[in-house]
Amino acid sequence: MKTKLSVRWFSVLVLLAVLISGCGGGKASAPKDKVTMQFAWLHTTEYAGFYLAVEKGYYADENLDVKLVAGGYGIDSVKEVTENRAQFGISRGTNMVVARSKGQDVIAVSTIFRKSPWFLGSLKEAGITTPQDLEGKTVGIETGDPNYIENVQLMAMLKNLNVDTSKIKFVARDFADPIVNDLQSGKTNVDAAMFGTEDPVKAQLRGVELNAIYYSDYSMDSYANLIFANGDFIKKNPDLTARFVRATLRGYQYALGHADEAVTATLKYDPKLDAKTETGMMKAEIPVIDTGDQPIGWMDANVWQNTADILLAGGFIPSAVDVKSLFTNEFIVK
């Protein structure tokens, strides 16, 4: 009897030791790497992949603690990254080329939109269908200044097509306000906008038909919403960069098939957003994110070269830029 009890108690003690070891006696897990992502604009379904990467635990799976920071007027994501207030940022291809021409060591590691989403929108009844039709019209652009960096792609296109910009009245448009408002009020005849955003979606929801002049139809194809970082940061942190890109693209892959969940995740970051509009935006963005010819996030050298060539020809950069050093697909699983 005594022997049986001793064996039983010994077994209990062994089990307790194993449980204690599993709970806290073993090696402590590594702390999560803290990462800040600086968006180029306010919270919207454009960034749904990031929200879902947080929501679904994809960043946590990669041992990352990611802070998502909204952008807005006056916030330069390139500056935030190059001055080390953020590890990653969102920017346009044109901005990246201009930044490199100024000696800034920025490298794109992925793109959210594989097709250029930029277009000029106007009311269908206005009959504005080509860039040449802009002469004599009022065009809404960011800040109203044609030389502002965010308007470089538009101005390069117009210059390349010999459109007389002196005959165009440029005015500031509020990118937080859908273009249909200014177009219907007569404040503008044409507005610069992005498809896959609330601009065309809100027009559609109101039953308003728009004409669209796509920049990419006039040899001005350029990436929007690139994910980038400092070259030095990437060189020193290749594993962290790979984990961040992998989790983010996993979030976008999930968003492609779960628009409603993408919108729900987005609204947690800005509850004032309209769910119906955001759902329309998410669905409109799907073919721009997943073009079917390459993995999501993949960047093509010819698009980068086209961007740099047109900026050089238009005088927006002083000399040629080596685009091969401006981006890498090494962190994208093909």
Short mmCIF file of all heavy atoms in Angstrom, two decimals, residues 153-191:
data_model
loop_
_atom_site.label_atom_id
_atom_site.label_comp_id
_atom_site.label_asym_id
_atom_site.label_seq_id
_atom_site.Cartn_x
_atom_site.Cartn_y
_atom_site.Cartn_z
N GLN A 153 2.36 63.47 -62.03
CA GLN A 153 1.96 62.51 -63.07
C GLN A 153 1.00 63.15 -64.07
O GLN A 153 1.15 62.98 -65.28
CB GLN A 153 1.29 61.30 -62.41
CG GLN A 153 1.04 60.15 -63.38
CD GLN A 153 0.45 58.94 -62.69
OE1 GLN A 153 0.30 58.90 -61.48
NE2 GLN A 153 0.11 57.94 -63.47
N LEU A 154 0.03 63.91 -63.57
CA LEU A 154 -0.92 64.59 -64.45
C LEU A 154 -0.21 65.59 -65.35
O LEU A 154 -0.42 65.61 -66.58
CB LEU A 154 -1.99 65.29 -63.63
CG LEU A 154 -2.89 66.28 -64.39
CD1 LEU A 154 -3.66 65.57 -65.48
CD2 LEU A 154 -3.82 67.01 -63.43
N MET A 155 0.64 66.43 -64.76
CA MET A 155 1.29 67.48 -65.54
C MET A 155 2.26 66.89 -66.57
O MET A 155 2.42 67.42 -67.68
CB MET A 155 2.01 68.45 -64.61
CG MET A 155 1.09 69.15 -63.61
SD MET A 155 -0.41 69.86 -64.38
CE MET A 155 0.33 71.11 -65.44
N ALA A 156 2.92 65.79 -66.21
CA ALA A 156 3.81 65.13 -67.16
C ALA A 156 3.02 64.59 -68.34
O ALA A 156 3.46 64.68 -69.50
CB ALA A 156 4.56 63.99 -66.46
N MET A 157 1.85 64.04 -68.08
CA MET A 157 1.01 63.53 -69.16
C MET A 157 0.58 64.65 -70.09
O MET A 157 0.67 64.52 -71.32
CB MET A 157 -0.23 62.83 -68.58
CG MET A 157 -1.18 62.29 -69.65
SD MET A 157 -2.72 61.59 -68.97
CE MET A 157 -3.59 63.11 -68.52
N LEU A 158 0.13 65.77 -69.52
CA LEU A 158 -0.33 66.88 -70.34
C LEU A 158 0.81 67.46 -71.18
O LEU A 158 0.63 67.79 -72.36
CB LEU A 158 -0.94 67.97 -69.45
CG LEU A 158 -2.20 67.57 -68.67
CD1 LEU A 158 -2.69 68.72 -67.81
CD2 LEU A 158 -3.30 67.10 -69.62
N LYS A 159 1.99 67.58 -70.57
CA LYS A 159 3.13 68.11 -71.30
C LYS A 159 3.52 67.16 -72.43
O LYS A 159 3.84 67.60 -73.54
CB LYS A 159 4.31 68.32 -70.35
CG LYS A 159 5.51 68.99 -71.02
CD LYS A 159 6.56 69.39 -69.98
CE LYS A 159 7.71 70.14 -70.66
NZ LYS A 159 8.71 70.64 -69.69
N ASN A 160 3.48 65.88 -72.16
CA ASN A 160 3.84 64.87 -73.15
C ASN A 160 2.89 64.90 -74.35
O ASN A 160 3.27 64.57 -75.47
CB ASN A 160 3.82 63.49 -72.50
CG ASN A 160 4.49 62.43 -73.34
OD1 ASN A 160 5.57 62.64 -73.88
ND2 ASN A 160 3.85 61.28 -73.46
N LEU A 161 1.66 65.34 -74.11
CA LEU A 161 0.64 65.40 -75.17
C LEU A 161 0.50 66.79 -75.77
O LEU A 161 -0.40 67.04 -76.58
CB LEU A 161 -0.71 64.94 -74.60
CG LEU A 161 -0.79 63.49 -74.15
CD1 LEU A 161 -2.10 63.22 -73.43
CD2 LEU A 161 -0.64 62.54 -75.35
N ASN A 162 1.40 67.70 -75.37
CA ASN A 162 1.39 69.08 -75.88
C ASN A 162 0.08 69.82 -75.60
O ASN A 162 -0.36 70.66 -76.39
CB ASN A 162 1.68 69.11 -77.39
CG ASN A 162 3.06 68.57 -77.72
OD1 ASN A 162 4.05 68.95 -77.09
ND2 ASN A 162 3.13 67.69 -78.71
N VAL A 163 -0.52 69.52 -74.47
CA VAL A 163 -1.72 70.25 -74.04
C VAL A 163 -1.27 71.59 -73.48
O VAL A 163 -0.33 71.66 -72.68
CB VAL A 163 -2.50 69.46 -72.98
CG1 VAL A 163 -3.67 70.28 -72.44
CG2 VAL A 163 -3.02 68.14 -73.57
N ASP A 164 -1.91 72.68 -73.89
CA ASP A 164 -1.55 74.02 -73.44
C ASP A 164 -2.13 74.24 -72.04
O ASP A 164 -3.29 74.61 -71.88
CB ASP A 164 -2.08 75.07 -74.41
CG ASP A 164 -1.54 76.47 -74.10
OD1 ASP A 164 -0.95 76.66 -73.02
OD2 ASP A 164 -1.75 77.37 -74.94
N THR A 165 -1.30 74.02 -71.02
CA THR A 165 -1.79 74.13 -69.64
C THR A 165 -2.07 75.57 -69.23
O THR A 165 -2.76 75.79 -68.22
CB THR A 165 -0.77 73.50 -68.66
OG1 THR A 165 0.51 74.12 -68.85
CG2 THR A 165 -0.64 72.01 -68.88
N SER A 166 -1.57 76.54 -70.01
CA SER A 166 -1.88 77.94 -69.69
C SER A 166 -3.35 78.24 -69.94
O SER A 166 -3.88 79.25 -69.46
CB SER A 166 -1.00 78.87 -70.52
OG SER A 166 -1.36 78.82 -71.90
N LYS A 167 -4.01 77.40 -70.70
CA LYS A 167 -5.43 77.58 -71.00
C LYS A 167 -6.33 76.80 -70.03
O LYS A 167 -7.55 76.74 -70.22
CB LYS A 167 -5.72 77.15 -72.44
CG LYS A 167 -5.03 78.01 -73.49
CD LYS A 167 -5.38 77.53 -74.89
CE LYS A 167 -4.69 78.40 -75.95
NZ LYS A 167 -5.00 77.93 -77.33
N ILE A 168 -5.71 76.18 -69.04
CA ILE A 168 -6.46 75.42 -68.04
C ILE A 168 -6.43 76.17 -66.72
O ILE A 168 -5.38 76.63 -66.27
CB ILE A 168 -5.86 74.01 -67.84
CG1 ILE A 168 -5.88 73.23 -69.16
CG2 ILE A 168 -6.63 73.25 -66.77
CD1 ILE A 168 -5.15 71.90 -69.08
N LYS A 169 -7.57 76.29 -66.08
CA LYS A 169 -7.64 76.90 -64.75
C LYS A 169 -7.59 75.78 -63.71
O LYS A 169 -8.51 74.97 -63.60
CB LYS A 169 -8.92 77.71 -64.59
CG LYS A 169 -9.04 78.38 -63.21
CD LYS A 169 -10.34 79.15 -63.08
CE LYS A 169 -10.44 79.81 -61.70
NZ LYS A 169 -11.74 80.53 -61.56
N PHE A 170 -6.48 75.73 -62.96
CA PHE A 170 -6.34 74.71 -61.93
C PHE A 170 -6.80 75.27 -60.58
O PHE A 170 -6.42 76.38 -60.19
CB PHE A 170 -4.87 74.26 -61.82
CG PHE A 170 -4.38 73.51 -63.02
CD1 PHE A 170 -3.54 74.13 -63.96
CD2 PHE A 170 -4.76 72.20 -63.23
CE1 PHE A 170 -3.09 73.44 -65.07
CE2 PHE A 170 -4.31 71.50 -64.35
CZ PHE A 170 -3.47 72.12 -65.28
N VAL A 171 -7.63 74.51 -59.89
CA VAL A 171 -8.12 74.92 -58.57
C VAL A 171 -7.93 73.76 -57.59
O VAL A 171 -7.80 72.60 -58.00
CB VAL A 171 -9.61 75.33 -58.61
CG1 VAL A 171 -9.82 76.53 -59.51
CG2 VAL A 171 -10.48 74.16 -59.04
N ALA A 172 -7.90 74.09 -56.32
CA ALA A 172 -7.71 73.06 -55.30
C ALA A 172 -9.01 72.27 -55.12
O ALA A 172 -10.09 72.84 -55.07
CB ALA A 172 -7.31 73.70 -53.98
N ARG A 173 -8.85 70.97 -55.03
CA ARG A 173 -10.01 70.14 -54.72
C ARG A 173 -9.77 69.42 -53.40
O ARG A 173 -8.63 69.12 -53.02
CB ARG A 173 -10.31 69.13 -55.82
CG ARG A 173 -9.25 68.09 -56.09
CD ARG A 173 -9.87 66.79 -56.62
NE ARG A 173 -10.77 66.21 -55.64
CZ ARG A 173 -11.03 64.89 -55.57
NH1 ARG A 173 -10.49 64.07 -56.42
NH2 ARG A 173 -11.85 64.42 -54.65
N ASP A 174 -10.86 69.19 -52.69
CA ASP A 174 -10.78 68.52 -51.39
C ASP A 174 -10.90 67.02 -51.64
O ASP A 174 -11.95 66.53 -52.02
CB ASP A 174 -11.92 69.01 -50.49
CG ASP A 174 -11.86 68.41 -49.11
OD1 ASP A 174 -10.99 67.55 -48.86
OD2 ASP A 174 -12.70 68.80 -48.26
N PHE A 175 -9.80 66.29 -51.42
CA PHE A 175 -9.80 64.87 -51.69
C PHE A 175 -10.64 64.09 -50.67
O PHE A 175 -10.86 62.89 -50.84
CB PHE A 175 -8.37 64.33 -51.76
CG PHE A 175 -7.76 64.47 -53.13
CD1 PHE A 175 -7.43 65.72 -53.64
CD2 PHE A 175 -7.55 63.36 -53.92
CE1 PHE A 175 -6.89 65.85 -54.90
CE2 PHE A 175 -7.00 63.48 -55.20
CZ PHE A 175 -6.67 64.74 -55.69
N ALA A 176 -11.08 64.75 -49.63
CA ALA A 176 -11.98 64.10 -48.68
C ALA A 176 -13.43 64.25 -49.13
O ALA A 176 -14.35 63.70 -48.53
CB ALA A 176 -11.81 64.71 -47.29
N ASP A 177 -13.65 64.99 -50.23
CA ASP A 177 -14.98 65.25 -50.76
C ASP A 177 -15.08 64.61 -52.14
O ASP A 177 -14.22 64.83 -52.99
CB ASP A 177 -15.20 66.76 -50.86
CG ASP A 177 -16.67 67.12 -51.03
OD1 ASP A 177 -17.52 66.41 -50.49
OD2 ASP A 177 -16.95 68.12 -51.72
N PRO A 178 -16.09 63.79 -52.42
CA PRO A 178 -16.19 63.13 -53.72
C PRO A 178 -16.32 64.14 -54.86
O PRO A 178 -16.97 65.18 -54.71
CB PRO A 178 -17.44 62.26 -53.60
CG PRO A 178 -18.23 62.88 -52.49
CD PRO A 178 -17.21 63.44 -51.54
N ILE A 179 -15.71 63.84 -56.00
CA ILE A 179 -15.68 64.78 -57.11
C ILE A 179 -17.06 65.13 -57.64
O ILE A 179 -17.25 66.21 -58.21
CB ILE A 179 -14.80 64.26 -58.27
CG1 ILE A 179 -15.39 62.98 -58.89
CG2 ILE A 179 -13.37 64.02 -57.81
CD1 ILE A 179 -14.66 62.49 -60.12
N VAL A 180 -18.01 64.24 -57.46
CA VAL A 180 -19.35 64.50 -57.98
C VAL A 180 -19.94 65.78 -57.40
O VAL A 180 -20.72 66.48 -58.06
CB VAL A 180 -20.28 63.28 -57.73
CG1 VAL A 180 -20.55 63.09 -56.25
CG2 VAL A 180 -21.58 63.42 -58.52
N ASN A 181 -19.55 66.14 -56.17
CA ASN A 181 -20.06 67.36 -55.55
C ASN A 181 -19.61 68.60 -56.31
O ASN A 181 -20.42 69.47 -56.66
CB ASN A 181 -19.61 67.45 -54.09
CG ASN A 181 -20.28 66.42 -53.21
OD1 ASN A 181 -21.22 65.75 -53.62
ND2 ASN A 181 -19.79 66.27 -51.99
N ASP A 182 -18.30 68.70 -56.57
CA ASP A 182 -17.76 69.86 -57.29
C ASP A 182 -18.23 69.90 -58.74
O ASP A 182 -18.50 70.97 -59.29
CB ASP A 182 -16.23 69.85 -57.25
CG ASP A 182 -15.68 70.27 -55.89
OD1 ASP A 182 -16.47 70.75 -55.06
OD2 ASP A 182 -14.47 70.11 -55.68
N LEU A 183 -18.33 68.73 -59.36
CA LEU A 183 -18.75 68.67 -60.76
C LEU A 183 -20.20 69.11 -60.92
O LEU A 183 -20.53 69.88 -61.82
CB LEU A 183 -18.58 67.25 -61.30
CG LEU A 183 -17.13 66.72 -61.40
CD1 LEU A 183 -17.12 65.28 -61.84
CD2 LEU A 183 -16.30 67.58 -62.35
N GLN A 184 -21.07 68.67 -60.02
CA GLN A 184 -22.48 69.03 -60.13
C GLN A 184 -22.75 70.47 -59.72
O GLN A 184 -23.67 71.10 -60.23
CB GLN A 184 -23.33 68.08 -59.29
CG GLN A 184 -23.44 66.67 -59.88
CD GLN A 184 -24.47 65.83 -59.17
OE1 GLN A 184 -24.52 65.76 -57.95
NE2 GLN A 184 -25.32 65.16 -59.95
N SER A 185 -21.92 71.00 -58.82
CA SER A 185 -22.10 72.38 -58.38
C SER A 185 -21.54 73.37 -59.39
O SER A 185 -21.84 74.56 -59.35
CB SER A 185 -21.43 72.61 -57.02
OG SER A 185 -20.01 72.58 -57.16
N GLY A 186 -20.69 72.89 -60.31
CA GLY A 186 -20.07 73.76 -61.30
C GLY A 186 -18.77 74.37 -60.84
O GLY A 186 -18.16 75.17 -61.57
N LYS A 187 -18.30 73.99 -59.66
CA LYS A 187 -17.02 74.50 -59.18
C LYS A 187 -15.90 74.07 -60.11
O LYS A 187 -14.94 74.81 -60.36
CB LYS A 187 -16.74 74.02 -57.76
CG LYS A 187 -15.40 74.48 -57.21
CD LYS A 187 -15.14 73.94 -55.81
CE LYS A 187 -13.76 74.34 -55.31
NZ LYS A 187 -13.48 73.81 -53.95
N THR A 188 -16.00 72.86 -60.63
CA THR A 188 -15.01 72.34 -61.58
C THR A 188 -15.72 71.68 -62.75
O THR A 188 -16.88 71.28 -62.65
CB THR A 188 -14.09 71.30 -60.91
OG1 THR A 188 -14.89 70.21 -60.42
CG2 THR A 188 -13.28 71.90 -59.78
N ASN A 189 -14.98 71.57 -63.86
CA ASN A 189 -15.48 70.80 -65.01
C ASN A 189 -14.89 69.39 -65.00
O ASN A 189 -15.49 68.45 -65.51
CB ASN A 189 -15.08 71.47 -66.32
CG ASN A 189 -15.52 72.92 -66.40
OD1 ASN A 189 -14.69 73.83 -66.47
ND2 ASN A 189 -16.83 73.15 -66.37
N VAL A 190 -13.69 69.30 -64.41
CA VAL A 190 -12.94 68.05 -64.38
C VAL A 190 -12.23 67.97 -63.04
O VAL A 190 -11.80 68.99 -62.49
CB VAL A 190 -11.88 67.99 -65.52
CG1 VAL A 190 -11.18 66.64 -65.52
CG2 VAL A 190 -12.51 68.28 -66.87
N ASP A 191 -12.09 66.74 -62.52
CA ASP A 191 -11.35 66.56 -61.27
C ASP A 191 -10.40 65.37 -61.38
O ASP A 191 -10.75 64.34 -61.96
CB ASP A 191 -12.30 66.31 -60.09
CG ASP A 191 -12.79 67.59 -59.45
OD1 ASP A 191 -12.05 68.58 -59.49
OD2 ASP A 191 -13.92 67.60 -58.93
#
